[in-house]
Amino acid sequence: MWQFTVRGHDLSQASSIEELARSAKKYGVHHLQLAMEMSFPDLVDEPSKLNPGLGRYVKQTLGEYDVDVAILSCYINMIHPDREERERLLEKFELFVQNAKEFGAAIVASETGCVLPQIQYTEKNFTEEAFEDMVCVIQRLVKKGEKQGVIIGIEPGLNHPLHSLEKIKRLIEKVNSPYLGIIFDPTNLINSDNYLDQVKLVKQGFKMFGDKICAFHLKDFVVNGEKIVPVNVLEGQMEVKEVLQIVAEYKPYCFVVLEETKDYAIKKSIEHYIKY
């Protein structure tokens, strides 16, 4: 079995913490991946606004509706080329780690970013230099996680320095900490050439580093030319049943985040797959 989770900003009608809690309960959700900057930007438009009281308020308000924060997101460009901007972003991430337990979260998540100021496709992300730079940054963040008892959840992707199963394995070996976790989103690692091998990729990932997978993103998709386009679960070409069975086999009761599945499609998806 698994625990279905949704991103807070996929509940599009929620403009307050209480509305977010009500929406989650309405659609049958008990766990959130919460990106405060995307759901409630006014509350954290300055990192200094983040504080234990805010975290505790979020936790208590959600708890009144039997909802919790499974993952706290702080998506940053952790390898930003401007060192001053990078430091600002890393300090912001570390503030989220410092306050994560007040939100009730055991994981703080980010992708690895881009060697350019704006996150976009560039082959410069695939160099050994970019990989080593990323490793150094993640080592720093994981040290903060170790001090706070919080897992640093890293999400790989094709256009990032962490873009293959092999590089994920290398990262794990280099960082070597129980507080490094992998948020495994197989859709982030497929393209129009290999999408038919998606089940094989998922199984291979769990075999290679399943002990480090702390959450799983379930993102359905369609292939449009050479593009992979996200859609609601049940509306695309992901072999969801087979993938969920692999998750349940390797990681019982893992958080499975229905990424890019929004509002009423969330309830429909959960009701369809809960029986498996």
Side-chain angles (χ1 to χ4, degrees), residues 156-173:
L158 277 184
N159 297 331
H160 305 172
L162 197 64
H163 56 82
S164 68
L165 300 183
E166 291 72 25
K167 286 203 168 179
I168 296 170
K169 184 69 172 176
R170 283 184 62 199
L171 171 69
I172 291 167
E173 292 169 351

mmCIF file with all atom_site columns, all heavy atoms in Angstrom, residues 156-173:
data_model
loop_
_atom_site.group_PDB
_atom_site.id
_atom_site.type_symbol
_atom_site.label_atom_id
_atom_site.label_alt_id
_atom_site.label_comp_id
_atom_site.label_asym_id
_atom_site.label_entity_id
_atom_site.label_seq_id
_atom_site.pdbx_PDB_ins_code
_atom_site.Cartn_x
_atom_site.Cartn_y
_atom_site.Cartn_z
_atom_site.occupancy
_atom_site.B_iso_or_equiv
_atom_site.pdbx_formal_charge
_atom_site.auth_seq_id
_atom_site.auth_comp_id
_atom_site.auth_asym_id
_atom_site.auth_atom_id
_atom_site.pdbx_PDB_model_num
ATOM 1   N N   . PRO A 1 156 ? 15.546 14.407 -8.846  1.00 0.00 ? 156 PRO A N   1
ATOM 2   C CA  . PRO A 1 156 ? 16.290 14.463 -10.109 1.00 0.00 ? 156 PRO A CA  1
ATOM 3   C C   . PRO A 1 156 ? 15.385 14.847 -11.287 1.00 0.00 ? 156 PRO A C   1
ATOM 4   O O   . PRO A 1 156 ? 14.160 14.822 -11.198 1.00 0.00 ? 156 PRO A O   1
ATOM 5   C CB  . PRO A 1 156 ? 16.794 13.014 -10.282 1.00 0.00 ? 156 PRO A CB  1
ATOM 6   C CG  . PRO A 1 156 ? 16.597 12.366 -8.946  1.00 0.00 ? 156 PRO A CG  1
ATOM 7   C CD  . PRO A 1 156 ? 15.419 13.047 -8.328  1.00 0.00 ? 156 PRO A CD  1
ATOM 8   N N   . GLY A 1 157 ? 16.025 15.195 -12.408 1.00 0.00 ? 157 GLY A N   1
ATOM 9   C CA  . GLY A 1 157 ? 15.296 15.521 -13.630 1.00 0.00 ? 157 GLY A CA  1
ATOM 10  C C   . GLY A 1 157 ? 16.227 15.547 -14.825 1.00 0.00 ? 157 GLY A C   1
ATOM 11  O O   . GLY A 1 157 ? 17.424 15.834 -14.690 1.00 0.00 ? 157 GLY A O   1
ATOM 12  N N   . LEU A 1 158 ? 15.691 15.273 -16.000 1.00 0.00 ? 158 LEU A N   1
ATOM 13  C CA  . LEU A 1 158 ? 16.512 15.142 -17.204 1.00 0.00 ? 158 LEU A CA  1
ATOM 14  C C   . LEU A 1 158 ? 17.347 16.371 -17.522 1.00 0.00 ? 158 LEU A C   1
ATOM 15  O O   . LEU A 1 158 ? 18.438 16.256 -18.066 1.00 0.00 ? 158 LEU A O   1
ATOM 16  C CB  . LEU A 1 158 ? 15.613 14.828 -18.415 1.00 0.00 ? 158 LEU A CB  1
ATOM 17  C CG  . LEU A 1 158 ? 15.208 13.375 -18.639 1.00 0.00 ? 158 LEU A CG  1
ATOM 18  C CD1 . LEU A 1 158 ? 14.408 13.261 -19.930 1.00 0.00 ? 158 LEU A CD1 1
ATOM 19  C CD2 . LEU A 1 158 ? 16.424 12.462 -18.698 1.00 0.00 ? 158 LEU A CD2 1
ATOM 20  N N   . ASN A 1 159 ? 16.838 17.552 -17.237 1.00 0.00 ? 159 ASN A N   1
ATOM 21  C CA  . ASN A 1 159 ? 17.546 18.771 -17.605 1.00 0.00 ? 159 ASN A CA  1
ATOM 22  C C   . ASN A 1 159 ? 18.430 19.311 -16.483 1.00 0.00 ? 159 ASN A C   1
ATOM 23  O O   . ASN A 1 159 ? 18.904 20.440 -16.561 1.00 0.00 ? 159 ASN A O   1
ATOM 24  C CB  . ASN A 1 159 ? 16.538 19.851 -18.032 1.00 0.00 ? 159 ASN A CB  1
ATOM 25  C CG  . ASN A 1 159 ? 15.772 19.437 -19.265 1.00 0.00 ? 159 ASN A CG  1
ATOM 26  O OD1 . ASN A 1 159 ? 16.270 18.689 -20.093 1.00 0.00 ? 159 ASN A OD1 1
ATOM 27  N ND2 . ASN A 1 159 ? 14.542 19.915 -19.393 1.00 0.00 ? 159 ASN A ND2 1
ATOM 28  N N   . HIS A 1 160 ? 18.646 18.510 -15.442 1.00 0.00 ? 160 HIS A N   1
ATOM 29  C CA  . HIS A 1 160 ? 19.393 18.947 -14.270 1.00 0.00 ? 160 HIS A CA  1
ATOM 30  C C   . HIS A 1 160 ? 20.740 18.234 -14.202 1.00 0.00 ? 160 HIS A C   1
ATOM 31  O O   . HIS A 1 160 ? 20.962 17.239 -14.906 1.00 0.00 ? 160 HIS A O   1
ATOM 32  C CB  . HIS A 1 160 ? 18.599 18.649 -12.997 1.00 0.00 ? 160 HIS A CB  1
ATOM 33  C CG  . HIS A 1 160 ? 17.227 19.219 -12.997 1.00 0.00 ? 160 HIS A CG  1
ATOM 34  N ND1 . HIS A 1 160 ? 16.301 18.946 -12.027 1.00 0.00 ? 160 HIS A ND1 1
ATOM 35  C CD2 . HIS A 1 160 ? 16.603 20.085 -13.848 1.00 0.00 ? 160 HIS A CD2 1
ATOM 36  C CE1 . HIS A 1 160 ? 15.177 19.595 -12.264 1.00 0.00 ? 160 HIS A CE1 1
ATOM 37  N NE2 . HIS A 1 160 ? 15.340 20.289 -13.369 1.00 0.00 ? 160 HIS A NE2 1
ATOM 38  N N   . PRO A 1 161 ? 21.637 18.677 -13.331 1.00 0.00 ? 161 PRO A N   1
ATOM 39  C CA  . PRO A 1 161 ? 22.889 17.934 -13.144 1.00 0.00 ? 161 PRO A CA  1
ATOM 40  C C   . PRO A 1 161 ? 22.656 16.502 -12.653 1.00 0.00 ? 161 PRO A C   1
ATOM 41  O O   . PRO A 1 161 ? 23.484 15.622 -12.902 1.00 0.00 ? 161 PRO A O   1
ATOM 42  C CB  . PRO A 1 161 ? 23.633 18.769 -12.092 1.00 0.00 ? 161 PRO A CB  1
ATOM 43  C CG  . PRO A 1 161 ? 23.105 20.149 -12.273 1.00 0.00 ? 161 PRO A CG  1
ATOM 44  C CD  . PRO A 1 161 ? 21.651 19.965 -12.622 1.00 0.00 ? 161 PRO A CD  1
ATOM 45  N N   . LEU A 1 162 ? 21.559 16.288 -11.954 1.00 0.00 ? 162 LEU A N   1
ATOM 46  C CA  . LEU A 1 162 ? 21.199 14.942 -11.483 1.00 0.00 ? 162 LEU A CA  1
ATOM 47  C C   . LEU A 1 162 ? 20.137 14.384 -12.425 1.00 0.00 ? 162 LEU A C   1
ATOM 48  O O   . LEU A 1 162 ? 18.939 14.504 -12.177 1.00 0.00 ? 162 LEU A O   1
ATOM 49  C CB  . LEU A 1 162 ? 20.668 15.019 -10.048 1.00 0.00 ? 162 LEU A CB  1
ATOM 50  C CG  . LEU A 1 162 ? 20.631 13.714 -9.271  1.00 0.00 ? 162 LEU A CG  1
ATOM 51  C CD1 . LEU A 1 162 ? 22.024 13.160 -9.063  1.00 0.00 ? 162 LEU A CD1 1
ATOM 52  C CD2 . LEU A 1 162 ? 19.932 13.914 -7.928  1.00 0.00 ? 162 LEU A CD2 1
ATOM 53  N N   . HIS A 1 163 ? 20.575 13.753 -13.522 1.00 0.00 ? 163 HIS A N   1
ATOM 54  C CA  . HIS A 1 163 ? 19.664 13.462 -14.630 1.00 0.00 ? 163 HIS A CA  1
ATOM 55  C C   . HIS A 1 163 ? 19.616 11.993 -15.047 1.00 0.00 ? 163 HIS A C   1
ATOM 56  O O   . HIS A 1 163 ? 19.034 11.672 -16.096 1.00 0.00 ? 163 HIS A O   1
ATOM 57  C CB  . HIS A 1 163 ? 20.045 14.315 -15.840 1.00 0.00 ? 163 HIS A CB  1
ATOM 58  C CG  . HIS A 1 163 ? 21.473 14.145 -16.272 1.00 0.00 ? 163 HIS A CG  1
ATOM 59  N ND1 . HIS A 1 163 ? 21.888 13.103 -17.066 1.00 0.00 ? 163 HIS A ND1 1
ATOM 60  C CD2 . HIS A 1 163 ? 22.571 14.889 -16.010 1.00 0.00 ? 163 HIS A CD2 1
ATOM 61  C CE1 . HIS A 1 163 ? 23.184 13.205 -17.278 1.00 0.00 ? 163 HIS A CE1 1
ATOM 62  N NE2 . HIS A 1 163 ? 23.635 14.279 -16.648 1.00 0.00 ? 163 HIS A NE2 1
ATOM 63  N N   . SER A 1 164 ? 20.182 11.101 -14.268 1.00 0.00 ? 164 SER A N   1
ATOM 64  C CA  . SER A 1 164 ? 20.155 9.678  -14.623 1.00 0.00 ? 164 SER A CA  1
ATOM 65  C C   . SER A 1 164 ? 20.226 8.836  -13.362 1.00 0.00 ? 164 SER A C   1
ATOM 66  O O   . SER A 1 164 ? 20.644 9.309  -12.286 1.00 0.00 ? 164 SER A O   1
ATOM 67  C CB  . SER A 1 164 ? 21.332 9.326  -15.531 1.00 0.00 ? 164 SER A CB  1
ATOM 68  O OG  . SER A 1 164 ? 22.555 9.414  -14.813 1.00 0.00 ? 164 SER A OG  1
ATOM 69  N N   . LEU A 1 165 ? 19.831 7.570  -13.478 1.00 0.00 ? 165 LEU A N   1
ATOM 70  C CA  . LEU A 1 165 ? 19.896 6.660  -12.344 1.00 0.00 ? 165 LEU A CA  1
ATOM 71  C C   . LEU A 1 165 ? 21.334 6.511  -11.853 1.00 0.00 ? 165 LEU A C   1
ATOM 72  O O   . LEU A 1 165 ? 21.590 6.433  -10.645 1.00 0.00 ? 165 LEU A O   1
ATOM 73  C CB  . LEU A 1 165 ? 19.328 5.292  -12.725 1.00 0.00 ? 165 LEU A CB  1
ATOM 74  C CG  . LEU A 1 165 ? 17.868 5.252  -13.183 1.00 0.00 ? 165 LEU A CG  1
ATOM 75  C CD1 . LEU A 1 165 ? 17.446 3.807  -13.448 1.00 0.00 ? 165 LEU A CD1 1
ATOM 76  C CD2 . LEU A 1 165 ? 16.935 5.901  -12.173 1.00 0.00 ? 165 LEU A CD2 1
ATOM 77  N N   . GLU A 1 166 ? 22.266 6.486  -12.796 1.00 0.00 ? 166 GLU A N   1
ATOM 78  C CA  . GLU A 1 166 ? 23.671 6.309  -12.434 1.00 0.00 ? 166 GLU A CA  1
ATOM 79  C C   . GLU A 1 166 ? 24.193 7.493  -11.624 1.00 0.00 ? 166 GLU A C   1
ATOM 80  O O   . GLU A 1 166 ? 24.938 7.321  -10.642 1.00 0.00 ? 166 GLU A O   1
ATOM 81  C CB  . GLU A 1 166 ? 24.512 6.108  -13.699 1.00 0.00 ? 166 GLU A CB  1
ATOM 82  C CG  . GLU A 1 166 ? 24.272 4.795  -14.431 1.00 0.00 ? 166 GLU A CG  1
ATOM 83  C CD  . GLU A 1 166 ? 22.915 4.729  -15.148 1.00 0.00 ? 166 GLU A CD  1
ATOM 84  O OE1 . GLU A 1 166 ? 22.368 5.810  -15.492 1.00 0.00 ? 166 GLU A OE1 1
ATOM 85  O OE2 . GLU A 1 166 ? 22.398 3.612  -15.346 1.00 0.00 ? 166 GLU A OE2 1
ATOM 86  N N   . LYS A 1 167 ? 23.808 8.703  -12.013 1.00 0.00 ? 167 LYS A N   1
ATOM 87  C CA  . LYS A 1 167 ? 24.269 9.878  -11.262 1.00 0.00 ? 167 LYS A CA  1
ATOM 88  C C   . LYS A 1 167 ? 23.593 9.972  -9.892  1.00 0.00 ? 167 LYS A C   1
ATOM 89  O O   . LYS A 1 167 ? 24.190 10.458 -8.934  1.00 0.00 ? 167 LYS A O   1
ATOM 90  C CB  . LYS A 1 167 ? 24.064 11.148 -12.081 1.00 0.00 ? 167 LYS A CB  1
ATOM 91  C CG  . LYS A 1 167 ? 25.082 11.275 -13.206 1.00 0.00 ? 167 LYS A CG  1
ATOM 92  C CD  . LYS A 1 167 ? 25.290 12.694 -13.676 1.00 0.00 ? 167 LYS A CD  1
ATOM 93  C CE  . LYS A 1 167 ? 26.510 12.785 -14.586 1.00 0.00 ? 167 LYS A CE  1
ATOM 94  N NZ  . LYS A 1 167 ? 26.749 14.156 -15.085 1.00 0.00 ? 167 LYS A NZ  1
ATOM 95  N N   . ILE A 1 168 ? 22.361 9.512  -9.805  1.00 0.00 ? 168 ILE A N   1
ATOM 96  C CA  . ILE A 1 168 ? 21.707 9.457  -8.495  1.00 0.00 ? 168 ILE A CA  1
ATOM 97  C C   . ILE A 1 168 ? 22.502 8.543  -7.567  1.00 0.00 ? 168 ILE A C   1
ATOM 98  O O   . ILE A 1 168 ? 22.780 8.880  -6.413  1.00 0.00 ? 168 ILE A O   1
ATOM 99  C CB  . ILE A 1 168 ? 20.253 8.962  -8.625  1.00 0.00 ? 168 ILE A CB  1
ATOM 100 C CG1 . ILE A 1 168 ? 19.419 9.943  -9.448  1.00 0.00 ? 168 ILE A CG1 1
ATOM 101 C CG2 . ILE A 1 168 ? 19.638 8.753  -7.237  1.00 0.00 ? 168 ILE A CG2 1
ATOM 102 C CD1 . ILE A 1 168 ? 18.051 9.415  -9.832  1.00 0.00 ? 168 ILE A CD1 1
ATOM 103 N N   . LYS A 1 169 ? 22.894 7.393  -8.076  1.00 0.00 ? 169 LYS A N   1
ATOM 104 C CA  . LYS A 1 169 ? 23.683 6.443  -7.291  1.00 0.00 ? 169 LYS A CA  1
ATOM 105 C C   . LYS A 1 169 ? 25.008 7.060  -6.869  1.00 0.00 ? 169 LYS A C   1
ATOM 106 O O   . LYS A 1 169 ? 25.445 6.909  -5.714  1.00 0.00 ? 169 LYS A O   1
ATOM 107 C CB  . LYS A 1 169 ? 23.923 5.182  -8.123  1.00 0.00 ? 169 LYS A CB  1
ATOM 108 C CG  . LYS A 1 169 ? 24.659 4.070  -7.389  1.00 0.00 ? 169 LYS A CG  1
ATOM 109 C CD  . LYS A 1 169 ? 23.810 3.459  -6.301  1.00 0.00 ? 169 LYS A CD  1
ATOM 110 C CE  . LYS A 1 169 ? 24.492 2.223  -5.720  1.00 0.00 ? 169 LYS A CE  1
ATOM 111 N NZ  . LYS A 1 169 ? 23.728 1.672  -4.582  1.00 0.00 ? 169 LYS A NZ  1
ATOM 112 N N   . ARG A 1 170 ? 25.658 7.793  -7.763  1.00 0.00 ? 170 ARG A N   1
ATOM 113 C CA  . ARG A 1 170 ? 26.928 8.453  -7.432  1.00 0.00 ? 170 ARG A CA  1
ATOM 114 C C   . ARG A 1 170 ? 26.736 9.506  -6.353  1.00 0.00 ? 170 ARG A C   1
ATOM 115 O O   . ARG A 1 170 ? 27.556 9.630  -5.441  1.00 0.00 ? 170 ARG A O   1
ATOM 116 C CB  . ARG A 1 170 ? 27.526 9.103  -8.681  1.00 0.00 ? 170 ARG A CB  1
ATOM 117 C CG  . ARG A 1 170 ? 28.208 8.145  -9.645  1.00 0.00 ? 170 ARG A CG  1
ATOM 118 C CD  . ARG A 1 170 ? 28.852 8.917  -10.781 1.00 0.00 ? 170 ARG A CD  1
ATOM 119 N NE  . ARG A 1 170 ? 29.893 9.826  -10.280 1.00 0.00 ? 170 ARG A NE  1
ATOM 120 C CZ  . ARG A 1 170 ? 30.363 10.870 -10.975 1.00 0.00 ? 170 ARG A CZ  1
ATOM 121 N NH1 . ARG A 1 170 ? 29.876 11.152 -12.170 1.00 0.00 ? 170 ARG A NH1 1
ATOM 122 N NH2 . ARG A 1 170 ? 31.310 11.631 -10.452 1.00 0.00 ? 170 ARG A NH2 1
ATOM 123 N N   . LEU A 1 171 ? 25.666 10.278 -6.461  1.00 0.00 ? 171 LEU A N   1
ATOM 124 C CA  . LEU A 1 171 ? 25.386 11.291 -5.441  1.00 0.00 ? 171 LEU A CA  1
ATOM 125 C C   . LEU A 1 171 ? 25.240 10.643 -4.072  1.00 0.00 ? 171 LEU A C   1
ATOM 126 O O   . LEU A 1 171 ? 25.818 11.115 -3.080  1.00 0.00 ? 171 LEU A O   1
ATOM 127 C CB  . LEU A 1 171 ? 24.111 12.057 -5.793  1.00 0.00 ? 171 LEU A CB  1
ATOM 128 C CG  . LEU A 1 171 ? 23.592 13.004 -4.702  1.00 0.00 ? 171 LEU A CG  1
ATOM 129 C CD1 . LEU A 1 171 ? 24.536 14.186 -4.516  1.00 0.00 ? 171 LEU A CD1 1
ATOM 130 C CD2 . LEU A 1 171 ? 22.181 13.484 -5.031  1.00 0.00 ? 171 LEU A CD2 1
ATOM 131 N N   . ILE A 1 172 ? 24.482 9.578  -4.018  1.00 0.00 ? 172 ILE A N   1
ATOM 132 C CA  . ILE A 1 172 ? 24.252 8.875  -2.751  1.00 0.00 ? 172 ILE A CA  1
ATOM 133 C C   . ILE A 1 172 ? 25.566 8.400  -2.150  1.00 0.00 ? 172 ILE A C   1
ATOM 134 O O   . ILE A 1 172 ? 25.819 8.537  -0.944  1.00 0.00 ? 172 ILE A O   1
ATOM 135 C CB  . ILE A 1 172 ? 23.289 7.694  -2.976  1.00 0.00 ? 172 ILE A CB  1
ATOM 136 C CG1 . ILE A 1 172 ? 21.886 8.229  -3.308  1.00 0.00 ? 172 ILE A CG1 1
ATOM 137 C CG2 . ILE A 1 172 ? 23.244 6.782  -1.761  1.00 0.00 ? 172 ILE A CG2 1
ATOM 138 C CD1 . ILE A 1 172 ? 20.945 7.186  -3.850  1.00 0.00 ? 172 ILE A CD1 1
ATOM 139 N N   . GLU A 1 173 ? 26.435 7.855  -2.987  1.00 0.00 ? 173 GLU A N   1
ATOM 140 C CA  . GLU A 1 173 ? 27.724 7.353  -2.506  1.00 0.00 ? 173 GLU A CA  1
ATOM 141 C C   . GLU A 1 173 ? 28.612 8.486  -2.006  1.00 0.00 ? 173 GLU A C   1
ATOM 142 O O   . GLU A 1 173 ? 29.312 8.340  -0.991  1.00 0.00 ? 173 GLU A O   1
ATOM 143 C CB  . GLU A 1 173 ? 28.425 6.580  -3.625  1.00 0.00 ? 173 GLU A CB  1
ATOM 144 C CG  . GLU A 1 173 ? 27.719 5.272  -3.977  1.00 0.00 ? 173 GLU A CG  1
ATOM 145 C CD  . GLU A 1 173 ? 28.249 4.623  -5.248  1.00 0.00 ? 173 GLU A CD  1
ATOM 146 O OE1 . GLU A 1 173 ? 29.058 5.289  -5.946  1.00 0.00 ? 173 GLU A OE1 1
ATOM 147 O OE2 . GLU A 1 173 ? 27.874 3.484  -5.540  1.00 0.00 ? 173 GLU A OE2 1
#
